[in-house]
Amino acid sequence: MKDNSFAVDYKYDSSADVLAVKVKRDFSYHETIEMDEGILLDFDVNNVPISLEVLDASKRFNVPKYSLHNLFSFNMNVCVNDDCIKIDVTIGVSIHNKQKDSVLSSLINNYANIPNMETELVTA
């Protein structure tokens, strides 16, 4: 892990098809940024990303629902500059006993004026 990375836990609700990822450390929630419809990124009071919620996760990652219950890896890079917020999420899943990486990317304008930063959220 990099110095500016944070370990995360995740939960997957197959009936709602929602993947929720949250940092393992204590934090004080500040605001939610909707990256795309159904992709929600939360920041703490220090403007550090603390959680990600992905609705319709199996469709967005193009994997079967059962594979999202046991991720073997999760990595999300968050890059914020004056103009935009960009996330690149890579999950590792097992499909029919074969490991597969699936990627989700999103880019929006930095309308919330989050300060410039780059960080990573990863499974430990």
Side-chain angles (χ1 to χ4, degrees), residues 15 29 31 42 46 50 59 66 69 84 87 102 104 106:
S15 62
Y29 168 82
E31 72 179 307
D42 293 341
N46 297 312
I50 51 167
K59 293 175 187 147
Y66 70 82
H69 285 285
C84 66
I87 62 169
S102 187
L104 172 70
S106 184

Side-chain angles (χ1 to χ4, degrees), residues 19-69:
L19 178 65
V21 180
K22 185 168 83 170
V23 296
K24 289 183 178 182
R25 64 174 178 76
D26 290 335
F27 59 84
S28 294
Y29 168 82
H30 175 63
E31 72 179 307
T32 300
I33 304 294
E34 188 166 17
M35 297 296 299
D36 278 321
E37 186 174 331
I39 301 174
L40 307 169
L41 181 63
D42 293 341
F43 288 85
D44 70 6
V45 294
N46 297 312
N47 293 307
V48 174
I50 51 167
S51 70
L52 176 72
E53 185 174 59
V54 180
L55 309 181
D56 298 320
S58 64
K59 293 175 187 147
R60 291 182 190 274
F61 284 106
N62 194 29
V63 296
K65 287 182 177 183
Y66 70 82
S67 68
L68 292 169
H69 285 285

